[in-house]
Amino acid sequence: MKELMLYLWNANHHYAHQLLEAIPEEKMADQPAGLPNHPAWTIAHLSISGNYLLIPALGGKPLDLPGWDQKYGYGSKPSNDRSLYPAKTELLHVYDEVHRIVADGIQNSFDNIVGVVTPDEGMRSYFPTLDKMVAYMTSIHEANHLGQLSDWRRAMGMKSVL
């Protein structure tokens, strides 16, 4: 199971970089009609989700990202104000670091969380066990947001990367 999760996690990481490569800095917070989840918010959101949920679940120490949870976490709203987001290089650096830490956690700690009840009662109704949470967040959650980013690219007149 962990080999499959690592494969999907790494494939999502590669796909994110393909999607972001040709997007200029000044377009990172553009919101074409009907697509509010722009690249800057999407990558920040995926980073904070991995940092907040996955790293602790896998026994790791989250990155120090003050204010990111409120700005980009669950329930946050994307804004077209580019100044509210870090530079593209910083966003990618944090995203890459979260991906590295989570991959290490899956490799080294996943077997230890199989069947372990999710300690956060609010999260437990969605993810009864930590292994289910990690499986969902490393595949469905990440891929869903990358699909939105792919739609954003098309709405911006950019070609598909696949």
Side-chain angles (χ1 to χ4, degrees):
M1 174 72 150
K2 76 178 175 185
E3 289 81 16
L4 177 59
M5 282 195 315
L6 279 169
Y7 174 80
L8 294 172
W9 185 241
N10 291 329
N12 281 335
H13 183 247
H14 178 73
Y15 184 44
H17 274 270
Q18 287 180 304
L19 290 167
L20 291 164
E21 185 176 354
I23 299 172
E25 180 78 43
E26 66 274 7
K27 300 285 187 191
M28 289 286 290
D30 284 5
Q31 293 178 306
L35 295 170
N37 292 3
H38 54 67
W41 181 87
T42 299
I43 295 306
H45 175 73
L46 291 174
S47 296
I48 199 63
S49 298
N51 195 57
Y52 176 73
L53 292 174
L54 296 174
I55 293 174
L58 292 165
K61 184 177 188 283
L63 301 176
D64 185 22
L65 301 170
W68 278 48
D69 192 38
Q70 296 78 19
K71 291 179 189 175
Y72 319 125
Y74 180 76
S76 65
K77 303 280 187 235
S79 169
N80 64 359
D81 181 351
R82 183 66 187 95
S83 70
L84 298 177
Y85 302 90
K88 181 179 175 181
T89 55
E90 183 182 347
L91 288 167
L92 285 171
H93 172 74
V94 171
Y95 179 74
D96 291 347
E97 188 64 10
V98 167
H99 260 261
R100 183 192 65 74
I101 295 168
V102 169
D104 288 348
I106 292 169
Q107 185 65 49
N108 299 319
S109 302
F110 184 76
D111 294 340
N112 300 329
I113 64 166
V114 174
V116 173
V117 173
T118 301
D120 182 322
E121 287 184 38
M123 299 296 287
R124 200 175 302 143
S125 63
Y126 299 104
F127 311 115
T129 58
L130 289 176
D131 55 319
K132 288 178 174 62
M133 180 181 72
V134 170
Y136 177 89
M137 294 298 291
T138 57
S139 58
I140 295 170
H141 180 256
E142 184 107 351
N144 177 58
H145 283 292
L146 294 178
Q148 292 171 347
L149 186 50
S150 180
D151 287 344
W152 179 94
R153 284 176 53 93
R154 285 193 289 286
M156 294 293 291
M158 301 177 79
K159 63 181 181 174
S160 174
V161 298
L162 294 179

